[in-house]
């Protein structure tokens, strides 16, 4: 009795742990999956035999062709194993990849894979990605010998039932019975994208004629288009990924399979839902929710994702999850939705690692954590107020909601692909409203499989912080303007000839895969104020360059309002009527020049007048060879506003929706017959017309960065809109050749070397935070300002007279060009290089000075700064601007004076002395008038404290030190430390 009881117990235990897809085991014939039965885990290693996970089932044997027409291509064309770390669309799971060889079939043969059974029906599932859309791309073929005209069990009979795709539509093909059969009118929209889907061919009834049906990701496509049915299953051999494209075809190259499942019978809708749920959950596939459906575990009752759950109908986009189901051999420990339309969240049990297999977490059976989102954009576009101590201004429009099994308490890591500029926060809430009362967690940066993520570990969704979450950050944009920003291309950030990465949150990268059409990076130069640019070719069709974004980009819809800003340096205008720089409504992957004129941003005529085609051009002439700030804006149905270096012009035009294909692709650079023949430093696009003050913020950012003088009088303002960085009303005589250095975090402005690009005005001055006037602005050795919102801008009086004028005591002279420096916050030490070589009155033997004063006449609080170096006509100075100051340059200056000593009876005599002399004079030190202490030595000096003011915690009025940084004696006057300088003793 004990033996019998023990036998029954063991048998029951084995039955309990039997595994099958979705727990559906009846009539299972083939179950192959890339995470088991491949005999390898090495990326790109061949898999000659794919072991069937159905006990006793036929294994898949690679590449068995038909002698003659389809010969066995041999070992070189066997499918290969692709590691999860190498393929991003399989949800951290591996796949089998087809290596199709021209002329040959490729895939697996399952001898006797489908038995000659009495059900006369089948149900199949394949998790598959297709790299291209082409005719006759098979998934599997029923190649049984008992029914068709093929006399042998060797692959390749056209009269066998064929299940696959024709272009992007599912197809059943049987030349012997019916020919081509398509299912409904729907298409598989992932064909050609490399993103996998769950494709299922099945019968709705067993016996008699079999009417095949098709489903994709749980969406039923309907009856066959010609209502055809088959009379037999063609039992026997099954061919997986056996291409029937004909001689010369290699159309399966790159196709990948995660899993293939074949049953020899019909399944109920509940059974199909369980298998689809298993595959969808494992591979991050969102099952079709046009009619909401749940993900059901193998026990038939446990909901992995419950479509009837609270709020589920509003958060059923991009569904994914982690969990364990022993009945399906499902153990998904980290997951994301593989939908490519938007950035997807990753959630991992414990630690986020490179693959599901590498995640060593242990989860309990029938425990699940699932999530979906509201389908809104991942852009940070919703204003939010963070709690004290956190810095953020916008959250994502996208909101996620989690569902968990009641016993799921596993700590998880939440990660989001991102290369953050500022701190990104995970915000958790008990509802879909997010504010400072919710839980805010700053995310750290990590890299997994070569992708940058921000992540928050140790999240426990069983706590009280809530099941809703989103992300927030401090959004930056050009000039701090981020609302509606759709593209921000900067040559100093993430440019390569094949891809110019968008710095907005929208990710509208411009690309060019054809080497002959790729623009090239121009190293930083003075024409672009020590910033780089991209060269878009010359004035010939053969030398023209361009980049594109595909249809669906860069704006969110056609017919949008628009504001576009560009920094362009044109080499010439013409030779044709136009020089086209940017256009909406066209795209291409080829090398042929393509039109994008809806609308197009161009120059018109030999003066380079700005134009939004096909509308009226501006009349503002541009300058060849000069970097200028051009902007174009309009509201649909309204007129066009042009801007050139801050100068505004409105033209009477009516912008129509017909000519506004703002989401139908775009071309940056050359179009047929019209070539930029220019360098482009920056391109910015908003899908709305900016307000005047917003334009002023963007223009100020670009003007400072590129050394452009905005039309005067107008102020330069910081990204915060309130800080005036150049006050044009302070002294209107100095609103010329404006340039400077700045740090403004909200617009990623960090300009630390600068000069005016107005070369036509005999520009002679360059400023820097270090003694280097050659290296690019972004060189890592350069010194940045310590404090945000720090600015040092300069303008001059534009006096180009090269005659020197007398100043102070002869032979002192100064130049007639002078500058006004306007300072915001502490700019610390500034280095200035003045190129005085154009002044014939200045000789190499002269001593150069910088003259600083509180007034433009250089008579009030004058300081003379000696040049640190003076060579080849270039004088270099080191100076810390304490506030707004006027300054100029001169030679041989002596502005100090001396006075005769006062005569009369002394007020007192010195009573203390220190001497190194052996013999002191009679009466010393008492004969020294008006002293406190007398020191004397022939070979020793007096050393006072050598330090810097910052090291003196509690200075006392009258305290004296030698400043080792500024190289001068400094006296504390009760308020500040000042260098002791030589002046009149009046």
């Amino acid at each position: 009795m004990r033996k019998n009881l023990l036998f029954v117990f063991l048998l029951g235990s084995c039955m309990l742990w039997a595994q099958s897809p979705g727990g559906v085991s009846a009539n299972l014939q083939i179950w192959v999956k890339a995470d088991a039965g491949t005999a390898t885990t090495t990326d790109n290693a061949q898999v000659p035999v794919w072991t069937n996970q159905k006990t006793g089932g036929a294994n898949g044997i690679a590449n068995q062709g038909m002698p003659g027409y389809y010969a066995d291509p041999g070992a070189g064309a066997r499918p290969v194993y692709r590691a999860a770390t190498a393929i991003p669309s399989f949800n951290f799971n591996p796949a089998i990849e087809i290596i199709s060889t021209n002329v040959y079939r490729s895939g697996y043969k399952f001898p006797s894979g489908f038995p000659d059974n009495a059900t006369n029906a089948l149900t199949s599932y394949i998790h598959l990605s297709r790299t291209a859309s082409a005719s006759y791309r098979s998934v599997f073929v029923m190649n049984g010998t008992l029914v068709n005209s093929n006399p042998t069990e060797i692959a390749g009979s056209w009269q066998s039932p064929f299940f696959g795709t024709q272009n992007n539509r599912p197809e059943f093909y049987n030349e012997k019975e019916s020919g081509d059969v398509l299912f409904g009118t729907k298409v598989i929209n992932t064909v050609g994208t490399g993103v996998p889907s769950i494709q299922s061919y099945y019968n709705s009834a067993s016996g008699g004629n079999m009417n095949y049906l098709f489903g994709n990701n749980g969406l039923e496509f309907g009856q066959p288009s010609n209502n055809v049915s088959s009379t037999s299953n063609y039992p026997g051999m099954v061919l997986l990924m056996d291409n029937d494209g004909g001689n010369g075809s290699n159309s399966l190259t790159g196709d990948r399979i995660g899993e293939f499942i074949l049953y020899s019978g019909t399944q109920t809708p509940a059974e199909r839902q369980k298998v689809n749920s298993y595959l969808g959950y494992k591979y991050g596939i969102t099952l079709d929710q046009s009619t909401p459906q749940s993900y059901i575990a193998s026990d038939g009752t446990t909901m992995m994702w419950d479509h009837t759950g609270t709020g589920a109908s509003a958060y059923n986009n991009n569904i994914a999850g982690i969990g364990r189901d022993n009945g399906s051999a499902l153990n998904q420990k980290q997951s994301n939705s593989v939908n490519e339309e938007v950035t997807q969240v990753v959630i991992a049990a414990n630690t986020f690692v490179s693959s599901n297999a590498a995640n060593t977490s242990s989860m309990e059976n029938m425990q699940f954590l699932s999530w979906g989102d509201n389908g809104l954009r991942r852009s940070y576009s919703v204003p939010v107020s963070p709690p004290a101590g956190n810095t953020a201004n916008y959250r994502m429009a996208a909101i996620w909601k989690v569902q968990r099994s009641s016993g799921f308490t596993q700590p998880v890591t939440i990660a989001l692909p991102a290369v953050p500029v500022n701190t990104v926060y995970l915000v958790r809430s008990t509802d879909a409203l997010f504010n400072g009362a919710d839980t805010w967690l700053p995310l750290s940066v990590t890299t997994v499989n070569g992708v940058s993520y921000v992540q928050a570990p140790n999240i426990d969704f069983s706590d009280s912080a809530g099941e809703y979450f989103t992300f927030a950050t401090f959004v930056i944009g050009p000039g701090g303007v981020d609302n509606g920003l759709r593209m921000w291309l900067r040559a100093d950030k993430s440019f390569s000839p094949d891809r110019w990465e968008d710095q907005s949150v929208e990710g509208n990268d411009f690309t060019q895969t054809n080497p002959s059409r790729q623009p090239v990076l121009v190293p930083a130069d003075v024409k672009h104020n020590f910033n780089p640019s991209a060269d878009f070719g010359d004035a010939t069709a053969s030398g023209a360059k361009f980049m594109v974004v595909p249809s669906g980009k860069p704006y969110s819809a056609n017919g949008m309002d628009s504001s576009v800003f560009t920094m362009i340096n044109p080499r010439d205008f013409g030779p044709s009527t136009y020089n086209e720089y940017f256009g909406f409504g066209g795209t291409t992957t080829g090398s042929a020049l393509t039109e994008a004129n809806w609308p197009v941003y161009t120059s018109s005529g030999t003066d380079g007048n700005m134009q939004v085609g096909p509308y009226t051009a501006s009349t503002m002439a541009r300058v060849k060879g000069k970097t200028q700030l051009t902007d174009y804006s309009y509201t649909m149905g309204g007129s066009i506003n042009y801007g050139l270096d801050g100068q505004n012009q409105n033209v009477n035009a009516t912008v129509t929706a017909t000519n506004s294909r703002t989401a139908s692709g775009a071309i940056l650079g050359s179009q047929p017959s019209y070539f930029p023949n220019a360098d482009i430093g920056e391109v910015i696009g908003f899908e709305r017309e900016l307000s005047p003050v917003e334009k002023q913020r963007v223009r100020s950012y670009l003007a400072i960065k590129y050394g452009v003088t905005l039309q005067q009088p107008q102020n330069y303002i910081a990204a915060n809109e309130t800080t005036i960085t150049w006050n044009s009303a302070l002294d209107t005589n100095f609103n010329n050749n404006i340039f400077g250095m700045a740090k403004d975090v909200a617009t990623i402005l960090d300009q630390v070397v600068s000069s005016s690009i107005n070369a036509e005005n005999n520009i002679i001055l360059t400023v820097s935070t270090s003694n280097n006037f050659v290296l690019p602005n972004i060189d890592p050795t350069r010194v940045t300002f310590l404090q945000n919102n720090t600015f040092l801008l300069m303008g001059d009086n534009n006096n180009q007279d090269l005659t020197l004028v007398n100043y102070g005591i002869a032979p002192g002279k100064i130049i007639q060009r002078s500058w006004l420096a306007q300072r915001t916050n502490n700019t610390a030490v500034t280095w200035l290089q003045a190129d005085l070589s154009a002044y014939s009155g200045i000789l190499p033997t002269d001593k150069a000075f910088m003259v600083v004063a509180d007034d433009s006449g250089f008579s009030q609080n004058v300081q003379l700064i000696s040049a640190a170096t003076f060579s080849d006509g270039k004088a270099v100075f080191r100076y810390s601007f304490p506030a707004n100051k006027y300054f100029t340059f001169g030679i041989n200056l002596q502005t100090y004076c001396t006075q005769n000593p006062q005569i009369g009876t002394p007020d007192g005599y010195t009573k203390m002395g220190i001497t190194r002399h052996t013999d002191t004079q009679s009466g010393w030190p008492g004969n020294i008038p008006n002293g406190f202490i007398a020191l004397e030595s022939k070979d020793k000096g007096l050393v006072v404290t050598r330090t810097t003011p910052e090291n003196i915690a509690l200075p006392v009025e009258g305290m004296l030190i030698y400043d080792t940084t500024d190289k001068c004696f400094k006296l504390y006057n009760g308020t500040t430390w000042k260098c002791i300088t030589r002046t009149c003793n009046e």
Side-chain angles (χ1 to χ4, degrees), residues 536-549:
F536 276 80
D538 56 28
T540 66
S542 61
K545 315 294 183 182
F546 68 95
M547 306 184 91
V548 303
V549 291

Side-chain angles (χ1 to χ4, degrees), residues 625-853:
K626 182 178 182 180
T627 302
Q628 292 187 283
L629 194 173
T630 59
D631 58 83
Y632 320 70
S633 66
Y634 56 81
T635 299
M636 296 302 299
S639 56
I640 297 175
N641 293 297
Y642 293 103
L644 178 62
D645 292 344
Q647 179 183 358
N648 297 307
Q649 184 179 45
N650 177 269
V651 299
N652 189 15
T654 302
V655 181
T656 64
T658 303
N659 288 315
S660 183
R661 303 181 192 176
T662 47
S664 298
I667 292 178
L668 176 63
S670 299
Q671 298 188 32
S673 302
Y674 307 122
F675 321 118
N677 194 14
D679 299 335
I680 300 177
E682 203 146 334
V683 181
I684 302 166
F686 297 85
E687 58 178 13
R688 64 187 182 92
E689 183 165 22
L690 302 190
S691 68
V693 70
E694 288 175 322
K695 289 182 182 178
Q696 188 179 7
R697 289 161 60 186
V698 178
R699 289 169 174 175
S700 296
Y701 152 71
L702 291 171
I704 294 174
K705 180 174 180 178
Y706 290 96
V708 170
T709 301
L710 297 179
Q711 186 193 39
Q712 294 300 310
Q714 67 175 297
N715 294 339
Y716 292 55
I717 59 176
N720 62 19
E721 199 173 295
T722 58
T723 301
I724 298 176
T725 61
W726 177 262
N727 185 348
S728 62
L730 189 61
D731 190 333
T732 58
N733 293 320
F734 289 81
N735 286 335
N736 308 285
N737 309 309
I738 300 168
F739 70 99
M741 302 184 295
K743 181 173 185 175
D744 192 342
V745 173
T747 187
I748 325 182
L749 178 60
D750 192 15
Q751 193 70 26
V752 294
V753 58
S754 187
S755 64
S756 171
I757 62 168
N758 295 340
E760 67 273 18
N761 287 357
N762 185 30
I763 298 305
I764 67 174
L765 182 63
T766 305
V767 297
S768 174
T769 56
S770 60
N771 187 13
N772 189 297
F773 307 95
V774 177
L775 289 175
N777 181 69
I778 60 174
D779 188 273
T781 63
R782 288 204 174 276
V783 180
T784 186
F785 290 137
L786 296 178
Q787 183 180 353
N788 185 31
N789 283 333
T790 298
F791 299 85
L792 182 64
L793 269 61
M794 301 173 180
D796 65 45
N797 61 2
N798 204 28
N799 190 327
Q800 300 184 50
D801 192 329
L802 299 180
T803 304
L804 303 183
V805 296
N806 294 328
Y807 182 75
I809 299 174
K813 294 181 182 294
I814 59 174
I815 66 174
Q816 297 186 56
R817 175 82 61 100
S818 58
W819 290 260
L820 169 62
Q822 297 189 21
R823 188 191 91 153
T824 304
N825 291 325
N826 184 9
T827 55
V829 173
T830 299
W831 291 85
L832 305 93
Q833 177 182 268
D835 186 350
L836 305 174
S837 58
Y839 292 86
S840 59
I842 297 179
L843 302 177
T845 55
D846 289 327
K847 186 175 182 180
F849 289 87
M850 173 177 167
V851 185
V852 184

